[in-house]
Amino acid sequence: MPELPEVETVCRQLEPEIEGRRIERLEVYDPRWCRPAPPAELEAAVAGRTIEGLGRRGKYLLLSLDDGRTLVMHLRMTGNLVLVEGEDELNHLRARFVLDDGRELWFTDPRRFGEALLLGDGELDAHFAQRLGVEPLSDEFTAERLGEIAAGRRAPLKSFLLDQKGIAGIGNIYADEALFRARLHPLSPAESMKPEHLEALREGIVAALEAGLDGGGASIDDYRDGRGEKGRMQDEFLVHTREGKPCPRCDGTVERIVVSGRSTYFCPSCQVKLRRRPRRRRPARRSP
Ligand SMILES: [Zn+2]
């Protein structure tokens, strides 16, 4: 499933190619892609508009149009946004943008969970306010901020990292990689992190995401970049999907457990399990 590095890779590749291009027309083949909006309504709203940019927030792609509106797209499990020149053999086409230079932007998606939503000028911040937390590659993402997000959270660190309302853009792959880099056990309660753990986790998250970007994203299954090519990050995982393989850091062996229904890979020898902090006991209530 595409996470921050995969979505950011698509953005960086496509934005210089499509910025300033006019959308001749949009063709939606699957009404589920843009529901509840009817495909014809979205097609009419987008046709003739000029693309002002392609950005990212969390795992969302943001296609800015010259009328101030933004088409928000999410790739979900198996979606891809690919720039196509001439004939192509991509399957599972759900929508395509025909650009004024003859090229086309295709949204392909075998499992059809990807989606699109057109937001009006000024609606973007409100839309994401309740859904997405801090951007981990921004200056706002400090150890202090991480501590504020983790305060009072008894959830295991793995689940904590997957919650988009805390930190935006991390999924199953980069949560495992970040925890390994930080030497933290995935079942440690989030609230148990001390300042040194918070700093280690912040560094681990940033390093894991940057490694993903350097590797052009990870193609475990369907992910393709903006040019339709596979990423290389899947060959560079430290622990993710490496069950039974030697730990890259110590003599341990990578194990797999399931946390919140998600496969989780870690080294039990060098990733420390933090203890749950004891709750302060309330003074016993005296009867009057
Ligand atoms: Zn180890």
Side-chain angles (χ1 to χ4, degrees), residues 93-120:
L93 184 61
R94 297 183 69 199
R96 67 171 178 160
F97 303 81
V98 179
L99 306 179
D100 62 353
D101 61 358
R103 296 190 291 178
E104 300 183 357
L105 207 51
W106 288 19
F107 194 108
T108 67
D109 189 5
R111 295 191 59 182
R112 299 172 59 219
F113 288 113
E115 54 196 352
L117 170 70
L118 188 65
L119 290 178

Side-chain angles (χ1 to χ4, degrees), residues 127-247:
H127 179 75
F128 287 128
Q130 303 300 318
R131 291 175 172 83
L132 296 179
V134 65
E135 282 291 329
L137 295 183
S138 74
D139 293 339
E140 291 170 41
F141 186 55
T142 59
E144 291 72 27
R145 180 75 181 270
L146 182 57
E148 289 164 15
I149 300 167
R153 297 285 309 277
R154 307 189 88 168
L157 278 175
K158 174 67 184 265
S159 317
F160 170 73
L161 291 181
L162 296 179
D163 179 3
Q164 302 300 298
K165 293 193 282 291
I167 309 162
I170 301 174
N172 210 35
I173 296 172
Y174 297 97
D176 285 356
E177 297 289 288
L179 288 170
F180 176 77
R181 287 172 182 268
R183 298 175 183 251
L184 290 169
H185 193 292
L187 291 177
S188 303
E191 65 172 4
S192 299
M193 288 187 290
K194 293 177 177 158
E196 64 267 30
H197 303 130
L198 292 166
E199 186 52 43
L201 183 55
R202 188 201 66 82
E203 286 174 15
I205 289 169
V206 171
L209 295 173
E210 285 181 347
L213 278 170
D214 289 344
S219 294
I220 297 180
D221 34 48
D222 295 274
Y223 170 73
R224 298 292 180 274
D225 65 19
R227 303 182 186 113
E229 308 285 333
K230 283 191 173 189
R232 301 175 310 280
M233 184 61 201
Q234 65 281 4
D235 302 324
E236 290 160 40
F237 290 155
L238 299 174
V239 286
H240 190 72
T241 68
R242 301 191 72 248
E243 183 183 12
K245 302 248 171 65
C247 169

Side-chain angles (χ1 to χ4, degrees), residues 247 250 267 270:
C247 169
C250 76
C267 173
C270 62

